[in-house]
Amino acid sequence: MKQFLLWTLSLLVAGLSAQVTKVAYLDANGNYSIHKAAVDYSFKRSNFSQVEGFPFTTIAHPNFKNFRNVSIADLNKDGLQEIIVCLNETLYALNADGTVHWQVQLKGTSNFPPAIADIDLDGDLEIAVQTYGVPAVGNVYVFDHEGKIMPGWPLNIENHFFLNGIALADLDGQGQLEILASERINSSQGRVHSLTLDAKPINAGWPVTIPGTPAFTPSIGDIDQDGNKELITCTTTALYVFDASGMLLDGFPLEENGSKFSYQSPILADLNSDSNLEIIGARHGDLPGTIAVTSDGGYHANWPDYDQLWTYATPAVVDIDGDGDLEVFYARPYVDETLPDDVVLGYDHNGNRLEDFQIIDLVGSEGILAIADIDNDQDWEIITASKATMNGKGLIHAYHLENGSEASNFPLLVDGFTFVNGASLSDIDNDGMMDLTALSYQLKFNSTSPDSVFINVFNLEVPYRPSSVLFNGYKGSNTHDGLFQQLFSSTSEQAIIKFAIYPNPSTNTINVDSSNIGQKFRILSQNGGLVKKGKLSQPTIDIQTLQPGIYLLKVGEQVQKFIKTN
């Protein structure tokens, strides 16, 4: 990447008047404040228009604003996407034309996007969401794809807050997914629940109790490759890893005096190709910075990066250049003239800052990141939300990763703040074109005039292909389990073409068509970790040394799944 220094402080375009800039801040207790900023933004207006029927507008919750944008899924299998989001104690499923598909009244509100998956493996999606509020009321809800409450729900425990987001994963290995939820009992005690679809604990080891308020959405994966998944959670000051029976893993909790966790739910990925997963996240407090933690509670490679600037953002993990090594990106908060630094950080898989990569913005961002080819130029852009508003308009930025410049027709302007949210990419209306969905909200601090919340959907006027999106949505998927599963690193449509593998399942060898001879191949675990790679000199690949399980074979830009048996 060529070095490019983006100083938005000096970004001037002739003919536009000065803007009144305000910046939002969030403290460790989740309280908002607004400050005027000595930043003069000027820029060209975007030519992109919103999809007909958007923005969707309603009243925002007076105390709690939304984090981490929305969830997007085809709930009724009609080829059109629904936008699922909780707005002011109401769970909405919005149609692709901005009308309400269904809505359900909740007790309490949720500021995280709902988790969505086929929990019971019956072919239909379920939606899980947590709530809290003032006066104290907290619940966990599970709905079917039509918005009907599932039997046994909601779960209420003495109105305790259920904080952070819900994650969905098969923690106990029994096939169906569990609902992973975080309960705040008080400032010095909390519990994390692993619940079946009938709202019961998965075994006698759950819920697990931790000595503080659960501080981020759980992440779930087999971090030590023992064949069983683990759950990663935290208090404000310590990182915990529990196995499926509720037992704490050796090496945990991980804590350092002065370091804190809040909202920075980690991504789990194999950074060094040893099949174990690293816990990739961030911290604030007196030891702020980025971290990658190994399965035994140590630090991976050159992490932590104690960089003086803390963030509430969760990272994005991708393979930008398709070389099998992963890159990690973080968004960060306000930077001023005394400490100019990247507002988006980029690292290689060993924790080294990416060379010649700089995106510097004196306002900052702490929302989710999306990484995609949003302008069809065959290169990647990183999409993030600003902490600022100019004359009441929030911003969605898209920066070219190869040089740090802003993509054409960006930033997008929306009503209100985009702070701690971001953007999700999809084809909402199934017209073949890429759409960008972003949540924004007002912060007027005026009891006589309620705040509004907006769901914005822009048509980006380029073709939508699944292979043109590398990382998308809160923690990279609607399950919010944080498990890295990137398959593609090319905008070529060939990246989603499947090919024949035989025999499949197999014990000793697999075969591919002879037309693939001479191509490079990679075998990936279900977690996305590199297991084996090479060049095909014959159509047969030896898999005897692989452990039994499900794998992905990537030949050139083609991907197929196979099963290794005993």
Side-chain angles (χ1 to χ4, degrees):
M1 300 178 197
K2 296 180 180 179
Q3 187 173 21
F4 187 95
L5 186 60
L6 178 64
W7 288 103
T8 54
L9 184 65
S10 60
L11 216 167
L12 301 174
V13 175
L16 292 179
S17 60
Q19 308 290 318
V20 177
T21 305
K22 297 180 180 179
V23 178
Y25 294 86
L26 192 67
D27 68 20
N29 297 315
N31 298 314
Y32 284 89
S33 59
I34 300 293
H35 304 274
K36 288 186 178 181
V39 179
D40 181 14
Y41 270 104
S42 298
F43 42 77
K44 292 181 180 179
R45 299 286 176 175
S46 171
N47 293 326
F48 292 138
S49 59
Q50 296 214 35
V51 172
E52 186 173 356
F54 292 94
F56 175 85
T57 305
T58 189
I59 300 300
H61 195 281
N63 305 109
F64 305 107
K65 307 306 182 188
N66 292 75
F67 289 177
R68 311 318 190 202
N69 207 34
V70 302
S71 295
I72 298 175
D74 182 1
L75 296 179
N76 57 0
K77 304 177 186 177
D78 65 351
L80 302 175
Q81 304 287 310
E82 282 76 48
I83 300 169
I84 303 93
V85 61
C86 180
L87 305 173
N88 193 20
E89 303 190 359
T90 300
L91 181 65
Y92 289 93
L94 303 177
N95 291 316
D97 61 1
T99 59
V100 175
H101 185 58
W102 51 255
Q103 65 185 74
V104 180
Q105 188 68 34
L106 306 177
K107 292 181 179 179
T109 193
S110 177
N111 57 1
F112 281 84
I116 303 172
D118 182 3
I119 295 174
D120 54 4
L121 308 180
D122 68 348
D124 291 319
L125 296 174
E126 285 79 40
I127 302 106
V129 65
Q130 96 307 337
T131 67
Y132 59 92
V134 177
V137 56
N139 297 278
V140 178
Y141 291 89
V142 179
F143 298 95
D144 69 13
H145 65 286
E146 296 178 334
K148 298 176 182 175
I149 191 77
M150 299 289 286
W153 304 92
L155 174 69
N156 179 282
I157 303 176
E158 298 179 355
N159 283 333
H160 290 162
F161 282 13
F162 280 92
L163 293 172
N164 308 299
I166 299 291
L168 303 174
D170 181 12
L171 179 60
D172 63 3
Q174 299 300 305
Q176 293 193 359
L177 305 187
E178 284 80 55
I179 296 97
L180 295 316
S182 304
E183 173 198 358
R184 181 188 187 275
I185 299 174
N186 51 49
S187 61
S188 60
Q189 189 177 36
R191 285 189 291 235
V192 179
H193 297 259
S194 181
L195 302 162
T196 61
L197 190 54
D198 59 0
K200 305 297 183 184
I202 59 171
N203 57 50
W206 295 87
V208 295
T209 300
I210 54 179
T213 297
F216 61 50
T217 301
S219 293
I220 304 94
D222 183 5
I223 66 170
D224 55 5
Q225 292 298 297
D226 65 350
N228 302 299
K229 290 186 177 180
E230 289 80 35
L231 179 145
I232 295 86
T233 187
C234 73
T235 62
T236 303
T237 58
L239 184 73
Y240 293 81
V241 178
F242 294 96
D243 67 19
S245 66
M247 297 295 293
L248 196 64
L249 251 63
D250 291 342
F252 294 93
L254 171 66
E255 51 191 331
E256 288 186 70
N257 187 36
S259 67
K260 293 184 177 181
F261 303 90
S262 289
Y263 311 116
Q264 307 118 323
S265 191
I267 301 297
L268 310 179
D270 182 6
L271 291 174
N272 59 357
S273 301
D274 67 352
S275 296
N276 294 325
L277 302 179
E278 280 69 53
I279 303 165
I280 305 161
R283 294 190 302 212
H284 61 98
D286 296 332
L287 289 175
T290 60
I291 60 171
V293 178
T294 58
S295 59
D296 59 2
Y299 289 116
H300 169 65
N302 294 321
W303 275 291
D305 181 3
Y306 296 119
D307 62 4
Q308 303 183 61
L309 291 172
W310 55 272
T311 181
Y312 283 144
T314 192
V317 178
V318 291
D319 180 4
I320 287 293
D321 47 14
D323 65 353
D325 292 325
L326 301 179
E327 288 80 38
V328 180
F329 294 90
Y330 296 83
R332 300 201 300 176
Y334 182 75
V335 186
D336 63 26
E337 296 91 334
T338 65
L339 193 60
D341 208 339
D342 295 338
V343 76
V344 178
L345 289 181
Y347 296 89
D348 68 15
H349 63 288
N350 286 320
N352 302 307
R353 297 279 186 98
L354 294 179
E355 294 183 5
D356 298 329
F357 174 79
Q358 285 190 302
I359 298 175
I360 294 181
D361 181 328
L362 292 186
V363 176
S365 171
E366 291 179 274
I368 61 173
L369 298 174
I371 299 177
D373 179 10
I374 52 90
D375 56 4
N376 205 28
D377 67 350
Q378 311 304 308
D379 285 313
W380 302 113
E381 287 76 47
I382 190 162
I383 301 96
T384 184
S386 175
K387 296 181 67 171
T389 65
M390 276 67 65
N391 291 346
K393 296 289 185 179
L395 301 94
I396 300 290
H397 291 286
Y399 300 110
H400 294 292
L401 283 181
E402 74 272 18
N403 61 19
S405 63
E406 186 102 52
S408 297
N409 280 313
F410 280 86
L412 301 178
L413 294 185
V414 296
D415 289 328
F417 282 90
T418 57
F419 177 45
V420 295
N421 283 280
S424 296
L425 303 166
S426 63
D427 180 6
I428 288 284
D429 48 7
N430 199 27
D431 66 351
M433 307 301 284
M434 184 180 289
D435 300 316
L436 182 151
T437 303
L439 183 150
S440 58
Y441 54 83
Q442 294 173 323
L443 280 172
K444 293 185 289 189
F445 301 104
N446 185 346
S447 60
T448 62
S449 177
D451 294 334
S452 293
V453 61
F454 312 93
I455 306 298
N456 308 277
V457 181
F458 290 88
N459 183 341
L460 298 187
E461 301 176 7
V462 296
Y464 173 78
R465 296 184 297 268
S467 57
S468 63
V469 181
L470 288 186
F471 196 91
N472 196 29
Y474 179 44
K475 299 180 69 177
S477 76
N478 279 340
T479 63
H480 304 160
D481 63 1
L483 188 59
F484 171 78
Q485 297 186 54
Q486 177 179 316
L487 301 182
F488 310 121
S489 57
S490 170
T491 55
S492 168
E493 199 59 27
Q494 291 180 343
I496 59 173
I497 296 175
K498 295 182 178 181
F499 61 102
I501 296 177
Y502 58 93
N504 188 11
S506 179
T507 301
N508 298 316
T509 62
I510 53 175
N511 297 280
V512 298
D513 189 270
S514 59
S515 63
N516 291 293
I517 291 176
Q519 295 246 43
K520 293 180 180 180
F521 77 87
R522 289 191 290 152
I523 296 177
L524 308 175
S525 70
Q526 277 190 293
N527 296 330
L530 181 65
V531 176
K532 185 174 184 176
K533 65 180 179 178
K535 190 172 183 179
L536 289 172
S537 58
Q538 58 183 358
T540 301
I541 301 174
D542 188 344
I543 60 170
Q544 291 185 75
T545 59
L546 273 58
Q547 296 294 317
I550 299 173
Y551 294 88
L552 297 159
L553 173 64
K554 184 172 183 180
V555 178
E557 295 299 334
Q558 304 175 94
V559 177
Q560 183 58 286
K561 183 183 294 185
F562 71 91
I563 299 173
K564 166 67 164 67
T565 55
N566 287 310

